[in-house]
């Protein structure tokens, strides 16, 4: 799009960030800023017509909106991390949707790492004016997104400076330099600071300068993510993994026959030994679960098994990706479109045996995951639910999903790049969903309902469970006479309610919800208010 308009949108977002967060805490301001940044980014790439039928864009936008809403409601570091992840994942996707998710972390690391250098090369991060017709954004990036990479790029065909470069160097850069020196002089002299305070509006320039830097970093690395040539080269190589070998069948037979035989035998021997080892491991753990684990050893057993699952799953996927690759399957006579009955007949049955061994190993790893889930369930039944025990369940579910898609990879002769892309989407979806679930309230409700002697100290230290913990304990006959507990609950309630004195845009909305609940259900919360 036009150079001046994109720069205008960028600085509109920057000024809005400074206004929203000037002496305001995160809360509703984050939701407003995300909406504004999202709209500006879309408009800077040609408007909604470009993304009207782009399902990936709308899914990532939905993820950003969900995490932004979660942070607005809870205001915790976890939802902030989920918001940043979805926010910049959307930024990379908008830069070029052809980029493989495997390269997203690399591109973001390069963009953030080179940020401090790129800002001083104006002609390199400000795009040149396009003289031809408007080019779609995903085609422009193949030409460096229109970034000027040659030394004379800041000058047009007439030899005159590009308008945006001229505007930046004539007005913006001098203002930035003067503001920096102004901050230094105000910090060095109290009288000078007092004089300027009387002459200038009553503003805290230190805070404004800090907000300008933070907002510039956030927006610059969202709207000006820099794809570089070697990243495109790597991306082409990663995408080519799906294509497999381009050699003809005759060339494959002549060149790779000795290698193919050794490869098959090595794979069969490796998987057979691993299946035997994992079977023995499962028998021991199954016997231990059947006999029952002593309470003193239950926690250690859970940690040992989770660690063994991590190693086993990583090794399983790594071994399968090494021995069963699309190119190798094609060299063995395996075609992606064949039906399972036809697959079993090629090359004397050895590849079919290899696949069956891989499927058996995947099933054994699933049994290992189920065994760990049963151990974790026994642990929860004895000691109650905690965040770490929920985390174990989430990890085990991800393991099952990963093993399922590993099976799909073998069955469909897909590449490792396909598997990584699928698991990246699963991981992102897990992070997004976890950001909106109030695990503290779930843990509190479960332990108070199903545990005869819940760990009240642990429950009081959990966040975002006041609306469940306070009315439940205050109306529980077991704890009504405990004045110390009632006082601690009152302090917890007062601490949550104290946040509501801020304006609606500067407070996590959960605390507003707690205050509303306490006023709405006064009969249940009366014991706390009576203290």
């Amino acid at each position: 799009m036009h150079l001046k308009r994109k720069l205008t949108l960028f600085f509109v977002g920057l000024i809005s960030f400074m206004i929203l967060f000037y002496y305001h805490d995160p809360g509703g301001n984050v939701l407003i800023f995300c909406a504004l940044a999202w709209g500006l980014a879309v408009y800077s790439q040609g408007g909604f017509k470009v993304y009207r039928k782009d399902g990936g864009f709308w899914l990532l936008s939905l993820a950003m909106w969900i995490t932004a809403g979660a942070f607005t409601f809870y205001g915790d570091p976890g939802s902030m991390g989920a918001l940043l992840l979805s926010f910049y994942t959307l930024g990379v996707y908008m830069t070029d949707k052809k980029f493989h998710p495997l390269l997203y972390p690399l591109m973001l690391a390069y963009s953030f790492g080179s940020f401090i250098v790129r800002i001083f090369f104006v002609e390199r991060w400000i795009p040149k004016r396009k003289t031809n017709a408007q080019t779609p954004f995903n085609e422009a990036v193949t030409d460096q997104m229109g970034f000027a990479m040659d030394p004379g790029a800041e000058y047009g065909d007439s030899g005159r400076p590009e308008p945006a470069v001229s505007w930046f160097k004539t007005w913006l850069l001098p203002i930035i330099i003067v503001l920096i020196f102004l901050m230094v002089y105000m910090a060095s002299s109290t009288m000078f600071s007092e004089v300027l305070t009387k002459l200038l509006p009553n503003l805290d320039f230190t805070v404004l300068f800090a907000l300008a830097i933070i907002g510039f970093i956030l927006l610059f690395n969202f709207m000006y993510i820099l794809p570089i040539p070697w990243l495109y080269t790597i991306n082409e190589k990663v995408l080519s993994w799906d294509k497999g070998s381009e050699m003809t069948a005759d060339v494959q037979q002549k060149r790779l026959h000795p290698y193919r035989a050794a490869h098959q035998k090595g794979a069969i021997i490796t998987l057979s030994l691993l299946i035997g080892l994992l079977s023995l491991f499962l028998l021991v753990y199954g016997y231990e679960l059947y006999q029952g684990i002593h309470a003193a050893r239950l926690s250690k057993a859970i940690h040992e098994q989770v660690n063994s699952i991590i190693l086993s799953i990583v090794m399983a996927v790594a071994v399968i990706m090494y021995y069963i690759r699309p190119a190798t399957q094609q060299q063995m006579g395996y075609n992606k479109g064949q039906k399972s009955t036809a697959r079993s007949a090629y090359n004397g049955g050895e590849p079919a045996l290899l696949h069956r061994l891989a499927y058996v190993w995947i099933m054994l790893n699933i049994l290992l995951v189920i065994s760990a889930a049963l151990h974790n369930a026994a642990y929860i039944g004895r000691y109650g639910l905690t965040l770490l025990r929920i985390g174990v369940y989430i990890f085990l579910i991800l393991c099952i999903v990963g093993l399922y898609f590993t099976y799909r990879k073998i069955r469909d002769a897909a590449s490792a790049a396909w598997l990584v892309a699928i698991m990246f989407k699963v991981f992102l979806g897990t992070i997004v969903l976890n950001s909106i679930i109030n695990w503290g309230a779930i843990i509190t409700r479960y332990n108070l309902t199903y545990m005869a002697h819940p760990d009240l100290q642990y429950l009081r230290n959990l966040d975002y469970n006041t609306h469940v913990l306070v009315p439940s304990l205050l109306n529980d006959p077991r704890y009504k006479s405990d004045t110390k507990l009632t006082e601690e609950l009152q302090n917890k309630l007062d601490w949550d309610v104290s946040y509501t004195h801020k304006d609606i845009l500067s407070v996590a909305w959960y605390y507003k919800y707690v205050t509303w609940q306490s006023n709405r259900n006064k009969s249940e919360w009366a014991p706390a208010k009576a203290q």
Side-chain angles (χ1 to χ4, degrees), residues 133-146:
Q134 289 187 351
T135 306
F137 183 68
N138 58 352
E139 295 179 10
V141 291
T142 58
D143 190 25
Q144 299 283 330
M145 287 178 60

Side-chain angles (χ1 to χ4, degrees), residues 302 306 376 380 385-399 430 434 439 443 458:
I302 292 295
V306 169
N376 196 46
I380 292 173
L385 199 60
T386 64
L387 290 173
L388 289 178
R389 292 158 203 168
I390 289 176
V392 170
Y393 275 132
I394 294 174
F395 171 76
L396 295 178
I397 292 173
L398 289 177
C399 288
T430 303
N434 273 278
W439 293 115
I443 292 170
Y458 176 79

Side-chain angles (χ1 to χ4, degrees), residues 166-396:
S166 177
W167 174 79
F168 182 90
K169 292 186 174 181
T170 304
W171 298 103
L172 186 60
L173 188 59
I175 292 174
I176 293 175
I177 294 174
V178 169
L179 287 176
I180 293 175
F181 277 91
L182 181 64
M183 296 295 302
V184 173
Y185 295 150
M186 291 180 67
S188 303
S189 173
T190 305
M191 182 175 293
F192 181 75
S193 178
E194 291 177 353
V195 171
L196 286 181
T197 302
K198 294 179 180 179
L199 296 177
L200 298 176
N202 188 20
L203 298 175
D204 192 332
F205 290 97
T206 304
V207 174
L208 287 174
F209 186 69
L211 288 174
I213 293 176
I214 296 173
F216 193 90
I217 293 173
L218 292 174
L219 280 173
F220 184 85
N221 288 289
F222 178 67
M223 298 180 68
Y224 288 97
I225 295 176
L226 178 62
I228 51 179
W230 60 269
L231 272 178
Y232 281 103
T233 302
I234 296 175
N235 189 58
E236 289 298 324
K237 290 183 178 296
V238 172
L239 294 177
S240 68
W241 292 351
D242 289 318
K243 301 176 183 178
S245 175
E246 296 181 356
M247 294 187 295
T248 62
D250 293 336
V251 175
Q252 293 173 7
Q253 291 292 333
K254 292 178 181 179
R255 293 186 182 181
L256 300 171
H257 180 73
Y259 168 79
R260 183 180 63 191
H263 187 87
Q264 289 179 12
K265 290 180 180 179
I268 291 172
I269 292 172
T270 301
L271 288 176
S272 299
L273 293 175
L274 289 175
I275 287 172
L277 183 62
L278 185 54
S279 299
L280 179 61
F281 182 80
L282 282 171
L283 287 175
V284 172
Y285 260 90
Y287 177 79
E288 188 176 19
L289 180 64
Y290 175 76
Q291 291 292 330
I293 303 176
H294 191 271
R297 176 168 155 65
L298 189 56
S299 176
K300 184 178 180 181
I302 292 295
H303 289 93
E304 287 177 351
Q305 194 163 20
V306 169
N307 291 334
S308 67
I309 288 176
I310 294 174
L311 294 175
S312 181
I313 299 299
V314 171
M315 289 170 57
V317 175
V319 170
I320 288 173
M321 288 197 317
Y322 173 73
Y323 282 118
I324 306 177
R325 290 170 285 179
T328 305
Q329 289 174 284
Q330 290 177 13
Q331 294 158 12
M332 294 177 180
Y334 181 95
N335 292 324
K336 193 171 183 179
Q338 287 179 319
K339 295 182 179 180
S340 57
T341 55
R343 292 172 185 169
S344 61
Y346 69 87
N347 198 30
E350 283 192 1
L353 175 60
L354 178 59
H355 282 197
R356 284 197 293 267
L357 290 173
Y359 294 153
V360 170
W361 198 23
I362 289 174
M363 289 302 301
L364 290 176
N365 278 279
I366 292 176
L367 291 177
L368 180 62
V369 172
I370 295 174
S371 175
L374 293 175
H375 277 83
N376 196 46
Y379 198 24
I380 292 173
R382 185 171 296 179
Y383 297 108
L385 199 60
T386 64
L387 290 173
L388 289 178
R389 292 158 203 168
I390 289 176
V392 170
Y393 275 132
I394 294 174
F395 171 76
L396 295 178

Side-chain angles (χ1 to χ4, degrees), residues 12-270:
V12 165
L14 179 59
I15 294 172
S16 301
F17 179 86
M18 296 169 65
I19 294 173
L20 286 171
F21 294 99
Y22 180 72
Y23 278 113
H24 288 86
D25 294 334
N29 294 305
V30 173
L31 187 62
I32 296 174
F33 174 72
C34 287
L36 183 63
W38 179 77
L40 293 176
V42 171
Y43 187 58
S44 69
Q45 310 305 339
F48 291 99
K49 61 182 179 181
V50 178
Y51 303 103
R52 185 178 302 157
K53 298 181 180 180
D54 193 336
F57 166 78
W58 290 109
L59 283 176
L60 289 174
S61 297
L62 178 63
M64 188 203 73
W65 283 107
I66 290 174
T67 52
F71 182 77
T72 300
F73 188 78
Y74 296 113
D76 63 312
S79 55
M80 171 56 79
L83 173 58
L84 291 175
L85 177 63
S86 58
F87 186 75
Y88 285 106
T89 299
L90 176 62
V92 176
Y93 184 85
M94 293 176 67
T95 298
D96 189 351
K97 63 182 179 182
K98 295 180 182 179
F99 266 99
H100 194 275
L102 183 63
L103 300 180
Y104 280 21
L106 185 60
M107 181 181 288
L108 288 175
Y110 179 83
S111 293
F112 276 93
S114 62
F115 162 77
I116 194 64
V117 176
R118 287 191 289 138
I119 58 176
F120 293 106
F121 295 90
V122 180
E123 67 277 3
R124 291 182 180 268
W125 64 268
I126 294 183
K128 289 178 64 178
R129 183 197 299 274
K130 296 288 184 181
T131 57
N132 55 348
Q134 289 187 351
T135 306
F137 183 68
N138 58 352
E139 295 179 10
V141 291
T142 58
D143 190 25
Q144 299 283 330
M145 287 178 60
F147 288 141
M149 300 302 294
D150 56 289
E154 61 184 303
Y155 296 95
D157 297 333
S158 63
R160 300 175 63 182
E162 288 287 335
V165 176
S166 177
W167 174 79
F168 182 90
K169 292 186 174 181
T170 304
W171 298 103
L172 186 60
L173 188 59
I175 292 174
I176 293 175
I177 294 174
V178 169
L179 287 176
I180 293 175
F181 277 91
L182 181 64
M183 296 295 302
V184 173
Y185 295 150
M186 291 180 67
S188 303
S189 173
T190 305
M191 182 175 293
F192 181 75
S193 178
E194 291 177 353
V195 171
L196 286 181
T197 302
K198 294 179 180 179
L199 296 177
L200 298 176
N202 188 20
L203 298 175
D204 192 332
F205 290 97
T206 304
V207 174
L208 287 174
F209 186 69
L211 288 174
I213 293 176
I214 296 173
F216 193 90
I217 293 173
L218 292 174
L219 280 173
F220 184 85
N221 288 289
F222 178 67
M223 298 180 68
Y224 288 97
I225 295 176
L226 178 62
I228 51 179
W230 60 269
L231 272 178
Y232 281 103
T233 302
I234 296 175
N235 189 58
E236 289 298 324
K237 290 183 178 296
V238 172
L239 294 177
S240 68
W241 292 351
D242 289 318
K243 301 176 183 178
S245 175
E246 296 181 356
M247 294 187 295
T248 62
D250 293 336
V251 175
Q252 293 173 7
Q253 291 292 333
K254 292 178 181 179
R255 293 186 182 181
L256 300 171
H257 180 73
Y259 168 79
R260 183 180 63 191
H263 187 87
Q264 289 179 12
K265 290 180 180 179
I268 291 172
I269 292 172
T270 301

Side-chain angles (χ1 to χ4, degrees), residues 426-474:
V426 171
F427 173 76
L428 180 61
T430 303
I431 295 296
V432 171
L433 290 178
N434 273 278
S435 69
I436 62 175
I437 298 176
N438 190 343
W439 293 115
I442 293 174
I443 292 170
T444 302
R445 190 174 285 110
Y446 176 89
N447 289 346
L448 292 179
T449 303
Y450 297 103
M451 301 302 297
H453 303 286
D455 186 351
L456 297 182
Q457 182 63 39
Y458 176 79
L459 296 180
R460 288 198 300 270
N461 291 332
L462 284 176
D463 296 322
Y464 312 113
N465 67 340
T466 304
H467 66 290
V468 175
L469 182 66
V470 173
S472 297
L473 291 183
L474 291 179

